[in-house]
Amino acid sequence: MASISEWYAEKNVLITGATGFMGKVLVEKLLRSCPKVNGIYILVRPKAGQSMQERVQDMMTCKLFDRVREDNPEFHQKVIPISSELTQPGLAISPEDVQKLTSCINIVFHCAATIRFDEPLKHALQLNVIATQQLLSLAQQMQHLHAFIHISTAYANCNRRHIDEVIYPPPVEPKKLIDSLEWMDDGIVCDITPRLIGDRPNTYTFTKALAECVIQQESHKLNIGIIRPSIVGASWQEPFPGWIDNFNGPSGIFIAAGKGILRTMRASNDAVADLIPVDVVINLTLAAGWYTSVHRPKTSLVYNCTTGGINPFHWGEIEHHVMSTFKRNPLEQAFRRPNANITSNYLMNQYWILVSHKFPAFIYDLFLRLSGQKPQMTRIFNRLHKAIGLLEYFSSQDWEWKSDNMHMLMSELSPEDRKTYNFDVRQLNWPEYIENYCIGTKKYVLNEDMSDIPAARQHLRKLRNIRYTFNTVLLVFIWRVFIARSQMARNIWYFVVSLCFKFLSYFRASSTLSQ
């Protein structure tokens, strides 16, 4: 049987969401490990004043593609952008491009989705469900299609504690919901959203569950595979350790902790932090595409791509390793020294938010106002609290995911393919991975130079000295106020001061005698 790389040779691949985090890693891996792939077609839309061509050019010049660039400086010729807009009918693909795609595409990887947890329901439905329906419709017209691989999420069924590798019944029939919401005002939809999503925490997990249902309805017409990654983090090994390009999920939390902005977070120290490296997800995705095409399973296979049941790591352990990493490799211009703590107690967390977040933000913004600058720290903390609040549901409890299909797929790979497309998370060394992750946020998200670490350490020492000085002055001030009102307090104060003087005198005398 042909290896995975040999199978992808001369194939034409369609990828949605190629300019996103996972999409970029998928494009890079295909180009590097399957150099004979014929063409990679990517759906792209103009965004933020950039044309489709400019966005693709920016993506190609990214450091992520350095290894591919060394092997093949002309690699960009294999990447063919197709103008598209997921919120428009027919995905806004021109008739000429539809003809091109339906006549040549061999495999589809559907990575595009909105990953915002607080996305309005209508928009989340459009991007995660309706766009999936339209892509499936396009896929059914493809004359040489071997497989359709959909990227879902392990939390699509987070209302269950034990999650099998099956597609569960939807919370509501997708077509009925889409038809009902079509005529509703956005304000009404917003009001009824909590009742619609039920026991799911947000519109993201809700619409991802609906998208799986839509795919199941079309599974008899196509060879389909579904990948369910948990919390996708920085790369483990490929193309190099620690690559990350966004503030989403844990990345923003790690950076806030490293900058000294984040001091407290409500989570369970003992809860499993089900992070999954992005390269593990991509390797599994490519292997699933090969298996689905070659073996053509009778039913759509679901792959729970998680670490908790195989190689668990807990939020309390992550806190320890993140703090120790940023103390050794500090971020530049930190607000305070890194010292974040996790607590599951609501009242304790609110206390530390008041003392360590809101009060310092108020003081700092007051200083900015007095110096004629625009206040910003309160706004930053408000955004941080919102982000942490959205993650709280996932950091305070555990789930059990079955991963039989992932193990089955691993057993089907040759020894060479297991190395090239490694998704065996049993080999993952968590302390090393978290360290590389933190350094990756410093190098690739904040674009900080590792050669500036000595200056960053000097800045932390300066912050430490400022903190010690402030605490000492505050202690003396409180004691002086207290001493002025209490004879007992004065006696204790003078006793402590005299004891200190006696100790210093003894120390000096001992030093003189020893000389």
Side-chain angles (χ1 to χ4, degrees):
M1 187 180 295
S3 70
I4 294 177
S5 298
E6 289 171 345
W7 186 85
Y8 280 101
E10 305 306 321
K11 296 293 191 299
N12 290 302
V13 181
L14 174 64
I15 300 175
T16 69
T19 56
F21 175 49
M22 288 179 57
K24 278 188 275 195
V25 179
L26 177 56
V27 171
E28 191 277 340
K29 177 67 176 182
L30 265 173
L31 290 167
R32 178 165 46 84
S33 297
C34 310
K36 293 183 180 179
V37 65
N38 189 62
I40 301 175
Y41 293 79
I42 60 175
L43 300 188
V44 188
R45 66 183 174 93
K47 181 181 179 183
Q50 281 188 312
S51 67
M52 175 186 72
Q53 290 79 8
E54 288 172 336
R55 291 189 69 196
V56 175
Q57 182 62 32
D58 281 355
M59 183 179 84
M60 293 299 161
T61 57
C62 173
K63 182 176 176 59
L64 174 70
F65 292 90
D66 282 357
R67 286 181 61 183
V68 179
R69 197 174 291 111
E70 289 175 7
D71 298 336
N72 178 19
E74 303 299 319
F75 74 93
H76 61 275
Q77 294 180 1
K78 287 182 178 285
V79 180
I80 303 105
I82 300 291
S83 180
S84 175
E85 172 56 73
L86 298 185
T87 60
Q88 298 300 316
L91 305 179
I93 303 175
S94 70
E96 295 79 14
D97 286 335
V98 169
Q99 175 63 30
K100 184 191 301 183
L101 295 175
T102 54
S103 62
C104 76
I105 294 300
N106 303 116
I107 184 166
V108 175
F109 293 105
H110 181 33
C111 305
T114 175
I115 57 172
R116 284 183 54 190
F117 287 173
D118 58 347
E119 192 78 72
L121 181 57
K122 264 191 176 181
H123 198 234
L125 272 173
Q126 180 65 56
L127 291 172
N128 292 349
V129 183
I130 299 174
T132 301
Q133 283 180 328
Q134 298 190 79
L135 188 64
L136 285 165
S137 177
L138 177 64
Q140 289 167 22
Q141 302 173 47
M142 294 176 180
Q143 302 156 23
H144 307 287
L145 188 68
H146 296 292
F148 183 104
I149 305 299
H150 172 70
I151 307 298
S152 183
T153 172
Y155 297 101
N157 302 285
C158 59
N159 54 325
R160 300 170 181 267
R161 284 292 163 265
H162 182 87
I163 302 170
D164 292 321
E165 291 175 305
V166 299
I167 300 174
Y168 289 97
V172 63
E173 176 60 35
K175 188 178 186 308
K176 290 182 179 178
L177 179 63
I178 293 167
D179 292 342
S180 299
L181 296 186
E182 190 174 1
W183 59 268
M184 288 189 190
D185 179 78
D186 289 347
I188 297 174
V189 175
C190 183
D191 290 338
I192 65 173
T193 292
R195 294 186 62 185
L196 287 173
I197 65 176
D199 52 1
R200 284 178 171 82
N202 50 53
T203 56
Y204 170 68
T205 56
F206 177 72
T207 53
K208 277 296 194 178
L210 296 181
E212 288 191 2
C213 172
V214 166
I215 286 173
Q216 186 181 42
Q217 291 169 354
E218 304 297 330
S219 60
H220 63 286
K221 302 175 185 176
L222 300 167
N223 295 318
I224 293 177
I226 297 176
I227 313 296
R228 285 181 184 159
S230 48
I231 303 172
V232 182
S235 61
W236 170 26
Q237 296 170 322
E238 300 180 83
F240 36 80
W243 187 78
I244 184 76
D245 73 342
N246 61 76
F247 290 89
N248 296 332
S251 305
I253 302 298
F254 291 175
I255 291 171
K259 285 283 190 180
I261 296 173
L262 177 65
R263 274 293 199 264
T264 183
M265 174 177 169
R266 191 173 178 217
S268 172
N269 282 282
D270 299 324
V272 173
D274 212 300
L275 296 183
I276 189 79
V278 63
D279 48 334
V280 169
V281 183
I282 296 308
N283 285 337
L284 174 63
T285 299
L286 289 170
W290 163 81
Y291 183 85
T292 305
S293 302
V294 172
H295 293 271
R296 297 179 178 270
K298 293 181 180 180
T299 59
S300 300
L301 292 184
V302 177
Y303 302 88
N304 285 337
C305 186
T306 61
T307 56
I310 305 169
N311 184 4
F313 204 61
H314 303 87
W315 286 107
E317 295 172 288
I318 284 184
E319 175 210 316
H320 168 74
H321 289 291
V322 169
M323 290 300 97
S324 61
T325 297
F326 280 131
K327 285 175 181 175
R328 293 193 305 273
N329 306 280
L331 301 179
E332 296 175 16
Q333 297 301 312
F335 178 61
R336 290 177 293 194
R337 298 182 75 243
N339 188 26
N341 291 291
I342 285 176
T343 178
S344 57
N345 186 287
Y346 173 79
L347 292 177
M348 186 63 70
N349 183 58
Q350 290 301 310
Y351 168 77
W352 285 117
I353 285 176
L354 178 64
V355 172
S356 298
H357 289 182
K358 293 184 177 180
F359 181 68
F362 172 77
I363 296 296
Y364 190 76
D365 281 349
L366 180 62
F367 168 77
L368 290 177
R369 282 195 179 92
L370 293 175
S371 58
Q373 300 179 59
K374 185 178 179 180
Q376 59 178 348
M377 197 53 66
T378 300
R379 177 174 53 85
I380 290 173
F381 273 108
N382 288 339
R383 290 175 60 188
L384 177 63
H385 293 153
K386 182 179 179 181
I388 294 173
L390 294 173
L391 285 173
E392 191 175 298
Y393 178 89
F394 304 96
S395 60
S396 301
Q397 49 193 318
D398 294 316
W399 288 266
E400 293 180 14
W401 287 280
K402 285 190 69 174
S403 31
D404 294 346
N405 288 339
M406 194 165 80
H407 295 311
M408 176 278 296
L409 180 57
M410 197 181 303
S411 69
E412 292 287 330
L413 303 188
S414 67
E416 187 61 33
D417 278 344
R418 288 185 198 178
K419 293 179 182 177
T420 307
Y421 301 90
N422 182 21
F423 52 87
D424 186 358
V425 294
R426 292 172 297 184
Q427 302 172 16
L428 181 60
N429 181 304
W430 279 110
E432 180 184 355
Y433 173 71
I434 295 298
E435 180 172 355
N436 288 332
Y437 195 154
C438 293
I439 293 174
T441 61
K442 177 180 175 68
K443 291 166 65 175
Y444 309 123
V445 179
L446 300 177
N447 296 315
E448 296 182 1
D449 198 322
M450 295 298 285
S451 63
D452 293 330
I453 283 181
R457 288 175 180 159
Q458 179 63 33
H459 180 69
L460 286 192
R461 285 193 288 269
K462 179 181 175 182
L463 292 175
R464 180 197 61 192
N465 294 338
I466 291 173
R467 180 189 174 193
Y468 286 168
T469 302
F470 175 79
N471 288 348
T472 301
V473 171
L474 181 63
L475 181 64
V476 170
F477 175 77
I478 292 173
W479 266 99
R480 291 300 298 175
V481 170
F482 188 58
I483 287 166
R485 298 172 179 271
S486 169
Q487 180 62 44
M488 181 181 292
R490 283 199 295 272
N491 292 339
I492 295 174
W493 173 260
Y494 292 137
F495 173 74
V496 171
V497 170
S498 63
L499 201 63
C500 290
F501 274 114
K502 286 179 181 178
F503 175 77
L504 289 173
S505 300
Y506 174 77
F507 180 75
R508 287 175 182 171
S510 299
S511 300
T512 304
L513 290 174
S514 63
Q515 292 175 357

